[in-house]
Amino acid sequence: MRLHVVNHPLVSHKLTVLRDENTDSPTFRRLTDELVTLLAYEATREVRVEPMGITTPVAPTTGVYLAQPKPMVVPILRAGLGMLDGMMRLLPTAEVGFLGMVRNEETLEASTYAERLPEDLSGRQCYVLDPMLATGGTLAAAIRFLTDRGADDITAICLLVAPEGVANLEAGLEGLDVPVTVVTAAQDEKLNEKGYIVPGLGDAGDRLYGVAH
């Protein structure tokens, strides 16, 4: 597994405003959208392309276009939905699937409660959207779900990661013969006793959409 922390002043600026507890939900959503587009730029450096012949107003030339099968973008419900528009702005021809994962608070095991994905993902590059890599269990389960269906290259885009989450994800993917990359705006200090990333930005889902009752 490869971890790529994006070092760019615009990324750092937008993340700083996201972290601020005084940032309201509309601003949080807009900045998440913008930040994901910046992260997606880095995350898609290895997207597969094929040559394509075209004619410009001046002369024929050869360019590239996205290879088939098209990349699959997979937000993890619900907070991952807040990252979808920012990703699709950069990769509008990709296909979108959805994956709902929930963690059992007693066993800490993640399970799937909803999915909308092709049964066969053979040869597909998948981009998983999940704002926080905290304990790592949910993302590991999501990645294994995709590889079980044939995905052969996976990149996860996370706003923030914790060292414990990175370590747990690596352990959870041990033996998996599929390249996995995690692209993030920052690796924070640690997890607290409640499983929140420190200093973090709080609960991304609640800050995107409000607290569900």
Side-chain angles (χ1 to χ4, degrees), residues 2-206:
R2 184 174 73 95
L3 176 66
H4 176 40
V5 180
V6 177
N7 181 19
H8 192 286
L10 286 180
V11 169
S12 300
H13 165 75
K14 293 178 189 300
L15 180 58
T16 298
V17 182
L18 282 179
R19 291 185 189 276
D20 190 338
E21 65 180 0
N22 295 315
T23 298
D24 59 22
S25 287
T27 305
F28 193 93
R29 286 193 295 271
R30 176 176 58 80
L31 286 170
T32 296
D33 185 74
E34 294 172 0
L35 181 55
V36 170
T37 299
L38 293 173
L39 296 178
Y41 178 81
E42 293 293 331
T44 53
R45 284 188 179 275
E46 302 299 326
V47 68
R48 294 170 187 156
V49 294
E50 296 174 348
M52 178 181 184
I54 60 169
T55 301
T56 78
V58 179
T61 189
T62 301
V64 298
Y65 67 107
L66 292 183
Q68 296 289 338
K70 293 178 180 178
M72 175 71 66
V73 176
V74 185
I76 298 180
L77 305 178
R78 77 176 161 142
L81 283 175
M83 304 172 67
L84 182 58
D85 286 348
M87 183 70 186
M88 296 307 292
R89 182 172 295 109
L90 199 69
L91 207 61
T93 59
E95 295 182 358
V96 180
F98 298 94
L99 193 55
M101 308 291 293
V102 64
R103 187 177 69 167
N104 185 304
E105 294 304 324
E106 293 183 1
T107 66
L108 301 182
E109 293 292 320
S111 60
T112 306
Y113 70 83
E115 60 94 1
R116 187 70 174 176
L117 287 161
E119 289 295 328
D120 185 7
L121 291 170
S122 297
R124 300 291 284 268
Q125 283 182 295
C126 292
Y127 294 89
V128 181
L129 308 179
D130 194 12
M132 315 294 281
L133 174 52
T135 60
T138 298
L139 188 55
I143 289 172
R144 286 199 172 271
F145 185 95
L146 297 173
T147 56
D148 286 346
R149 293 198 176 186
D152 69 350
D153 187 285
I154 295 179
T155 299
I157 300 177
C158 304
L159 303 180
L160 290 177
V161 304
E164 297 92 333
V166 172
N168 291 340
L169 180 60
E170 286 185 317
L173 299 179
E174 188 175 358
L176 186 69
D177 190 25
V178 170
V180 175
T181 301
V182 176
V183 177
T184 185
Q187 178 169 270
D188 274 8
E189 179 186 342
K190 63 179 181 178
L191 292 180
N192 66 15
E193 65 280 0
K194 294 182 179 180
Y196 281 89
I197 298 176
V198 178
L201 48 76
D203 186 301
D206 287 351

